[in-house]
């Protein structure tokens, strides 16, 4: 049988990196779309890099952008993919309030551009399409826990753009018979999670506080509740969704919920930091001994917040055999371990009189 060809948008992101690794392991030829940036932006996939001068490459990167349909049509025509995973997005909910038009263009219309490219190129029967949908669609939740039939109520420009992407995916499936499906994935994290998402911000900051590289971690809503899983487990489901007889939409979640404060406590415990909480609301502070190491900063509040998300992955369990492999405790522990190693490197550099990396939000 000939090798399957996959095209991943967002290959330089957290999920893109794990998915590329998974597909290469399954014998796929993997093409990815990366954006031009003024600095190298391929850290997460550098271990997969192949010299473009060798023959029979199975990992190939193309410059591109979801806002440029000419680019997408050309790449898809050239690659003739069996599967497209549309993971590219302006994926930060808080930032989407700052860049709403760009977010709609990339996350919403970007999805349409790929589906139209499939149609324009006559690939409706060949190319299967995965859309990275999100639990943010549930927003102001209408039902607990949330499943495939729960009504949507998006609460950010990001979620509204993703709602368009969700429905245009369903529409192209029904209108043109494209094998297209939505994975409605709840939050998933890992040691390569972007540093400004709350989990990674916490594990990175506490590791640095432990080594005296940072004084305080400033956070927004500590009461926010999320259903957190491991990205490595979740990309396996993205692949499985494209291997079914019929295209369907699936919720992927752990079915367990924790608050941001719970996450802070769990990460602190891994570092033998014991936090005592004092005050409430914007006055809430976390102390390690007499040192204040966590404070609320209203700057991180969102104009409209999603207070609580909890997924019901029953359909994925029954049809895809979904079992989350990583527990909340193991996820936190792995993230803390990795960030502690980086902090130790920075501490060594600092001890030798050089400027250590100290950028944090
Ligand atoms: P990341 O933010 O880590 O990665 C996003 C990727 O999209 C990056 O490769 C980024 O490139 C790329 N990208 C952004 N804008 C564009 C654009 N205009 N054109 C081309 N590429 C672009 O996200 P994750 O890996 O965490 O998430 C993957 C997808 O899943 C996203 O669509 C996200 O919205 C969605 N999702 C994520 C969840 C999660 O908990 N992680 C849960 C549910 C859905 P660059 O590296 O250059 O910035
Ligand atoms: P989310 O993830 O918005 O759920 O979107 P994020 O980690 O940004 O926020 C989770 C919750 O934590 C609260 N919070 C903070 N968030 C950030 N980023 N920084 C803070 O300092 C902070 N303090 C408290 C937030 O208010 C929120 O309630 C992620 C993204 O990956 C999306 O792309 C994806 O679709 C959803 O998960 C499912």
């Amino acid at each position: 049988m000939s090798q399957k060809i996959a095209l991943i948008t967002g290959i330089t992101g957290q999920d893109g990196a794990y998915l590329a690794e998974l597909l290469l392991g399954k014998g796929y030829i993997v093409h990815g779309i990366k954006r031009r940036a003024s600095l190298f932006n391929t850290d997460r996939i550098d271990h997969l890099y192949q010299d473009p001068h060798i023959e029979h490459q199975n990992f190939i990167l193309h410059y591109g952008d979801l806002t440029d349909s000419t680019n997408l049509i050309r790449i898809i025509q050239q690659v003739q993919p069996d599967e497209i995973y549309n993971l590219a997005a302006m994926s930060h909910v808080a930032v989407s309030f700052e860049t709403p038009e760009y977010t709609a263009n990339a996350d919403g219309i970007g999805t349409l551009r790929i589906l139209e490219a499939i149609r324009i190129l006559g690939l409706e029967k060949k190319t299967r399409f995965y859309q990275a949908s999100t639990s943010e669609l549930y927003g102001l939740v209408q039902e607990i826990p949330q499943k495939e039939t729960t009504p949507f109520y998006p609460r950010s420009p990001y979620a509204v753009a993703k709602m368009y992407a969700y429905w245009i995916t369903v529409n192209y499936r029904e209108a043109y018979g494209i094998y297209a499906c939505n994975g409605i994935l709840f939050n998933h994290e890992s040691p390569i999670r972007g540093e400004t998402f709350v989990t990674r911000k916490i594990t990175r900051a506490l590791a640095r506080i432990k080594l005296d590289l940072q004084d305080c971690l400033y956070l927004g809503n500590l009461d926010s509740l999320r259903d957190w899983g491991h990205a490595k487990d979740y990309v396996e489901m993205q692949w499985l969704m494209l291997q079914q007889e019929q295209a369907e939409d699936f919720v992927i979640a752990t079915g367990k919920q924790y608050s941001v404060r719970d996450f802070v406590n769990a990460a602190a415990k891994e570092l033998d930091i014991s936090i005592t909480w004092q005050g409430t609301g914007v006055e809430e502070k976390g102390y390690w001994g007499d040192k204040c190491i966590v404070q609320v900063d209203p700057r991180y509040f969102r104009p409209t917040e999603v207070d609580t998300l909890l997924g019901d992955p029953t359909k994925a369990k029954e049809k895809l055999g979904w079992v989350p492999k990583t527990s909340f405790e193991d996820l936190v522990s792995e993230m803390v371990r990795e960030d502690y190693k980086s902090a130790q490197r920075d501490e060594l550099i600092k001890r030798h009189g050089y400027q250590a990396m100290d950028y944090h939000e």
Side-chain angles (χ1 to χ4, degrees):
M1 220 172 72
S2 64
Q3 270 181 297
K4 272 197 178 175
I5 300 174
L7 174 64
I8 303 175
T9 73
I11 197 159
T12 56
Q14 170 189 253
D15 288 14
Y18 282 121
L19 182 66
E21 215 173 86
L22 178 87
L23 296 182
L24 287 170
K26 290 185 184 297
Y28 279 62
I29 297 173
V30 175
H31 291 258
I33 296 184
K34 68 168 177 176
R35 295 195 289 179
R36 191 268 160 182
S38 65
L39 293 169
F40 285 128
N41 60 355
T42 51
D43 267 21
R44 293 188 178 104
I45 49 171
D46 281 345
H47 61 296
L48 305 174
Y49 174 81
Q50 291 173 356
D51 187 335
H53 304 97
I54 61 164
E55 272 181 52
H56 309 301
Q57 268 183 279
N58 57 5
F59 184 68
I60 301 133
L61 296 179
H62 307 256
Y63 280 111
D65 200 294
L66 280 196
T67 59
D68 182 341
S69 52
T70 60
N71 162 267
L72 295 170
I73 293 168
R74 188 174 43 74
I75 293 172
I76 294 170
Q77 182 173 38
Q78 192 184 327
V79 169
Q80 297 280 311
D82 298 297
E83 297 169 8
I84 296 179
Y85 296 87
N86 183 31
L87 309 184
M90 201 309 288
S91 73
H92 202 285
V93 174
V95 175
S96 78
F97 289 96
E98 311 291 327
T99 59
E101 183 183 335
Y102 171 71
T103 304
N105 192 3
D107 300 14
I109 306 297
T111 307
L112 171 69
R113 290 188 182 101
I114 297 178
L115 288 164
E116 262 302 289
I118 292 175
R119 212 161 76 84
I120 290 166
L121 296 167
L123 295 172
E124 297 96 324
K125 296 283 168 274
K126 173 182 168 69
T127 304
R128 296 187 166 201
F129 177 78
Y130 173 85
Q131 170 56 20
S133 283
T134 165
S135 50
E136 284 294 299
L137 295 172
Y138 299 118
L140 192 62
V141 301
Q142 308 293 301
E143 183 181 28
I144 298 171
Q146 296 87 54
K147 51 182 186 280
E148 291 78 3
T149 51
T150 303
F152 298 148
Y153 193 136
R155 293 266 283 173
S156 63
Y158 166 79
V160 174
K162 285 281 188 178
M163 183 144 152
Y164 176 83
Y166 172 94
W167 281 117
I168 203 68
T169 300
V170 173
N171 182 243
Y172 272 52
R173 175 169 76 214
E174 293 173 354
Y176 306 115
I178 298 175
Y179 187 115
C181 58
N182 287 287
I184 308 173
L185 271 52
F186 282 60
N187 298 53
H188 44 280
E189 320 294 313
S190 74
I192 56 167
R193 180 64 146 150
E195 290 89 345
T196 61
F197 295 100
V198 78
T199 54
R200 186 77 199 286
K201 183 172 168 183
I202 294 167
T203 55
R204 191 166 169 268
L206 290 181
R208 295 173 70 78
I209 287 168
K210 174 87 183 186
L211 291 174
D212 225 5
L213 292 167
Q214 185 174 329
D215 295 326
C216 188
L217 163 63
Y218 294 94
L219 291 171
N221 182 7
L222 296 172
D223 295 315
S224 176
L225 295 162
R226 287 291 182 275
D227 177 330
W228 279 297
H230 198 302
K232 209 169 182 170
D233 296 347
Y234 283 43
V235 298
E236 215 175 309
M237 292 304 112
Q238 299 177 351
W239 172 74
L240 263 180
M241 276 181 229
L242 291 197
Q243 314 309 314
Q244 304 306 300
E245 265 190 21
Q246 276 194 344
E248 284 182 69
D249 307 320
F250 288 92
V251 160
I252 305 294
T254 68
K256 296 205 173 88
Q257 197 184 43
Y258 298 87
S259 68
V260 170
R261 190 183 299 95
D262 293 334
F263 198 103
V264 174
N265 286 330
K269 193 166 156 222
E270 279 297 316
L271 290 158
D272 285 324
I273 294 175
S274 132
I275 298 190
T276 317
W277 295 96
Q278 289 180 19
T280 54
V282 286
E283 301 300 327
E284 187 165 355
K285 291 188 170 74
Y287 288 88
W288 179 23
D290 57 5
K291 203 172 151 195
C292 175
I293 59 163
V294 188
Q295 281 195 56
V296 173
D297 180 345
R299 189 179 1 167
Y300 300 111
F301 292 162
R302 295 166 182 187
T304 39
E305 173 65 293
V306 173
D307 293 317
T308 172
L309 287 173
L310 175 65
D312 173 1
T314 305
K315 181 179 171 189
K317 268 186 190 152
E318 286 170 358
K319 293 199 168 174
L320 303 175
W322 162 245
V323 191
K325 293 186 191 128
T326 317
S327 67
F328 175 75
E329 291 74 18
D330 288 347
L331 170 68
V332 176
S333 165
E334 186 186 339
M335 291 178 70
V336 169
R337 249 191 343 264
E338 290 305 315
D339 276 330
Y340 189 66
K341 275 192 231 160
S342 313
Q344 280 179 310
R345 278 194 295 273
D346 285 349
E347 200 261 341
L348 188 73
I349 292 169
K350 194 177 167 192
R351 214 167 348 119
H352 285 80
Y354 297 99
Q355 175 72 44
M357 223 270 268
D358 69 350
Y359 184 80
H360 53 88
E361 251 203 347

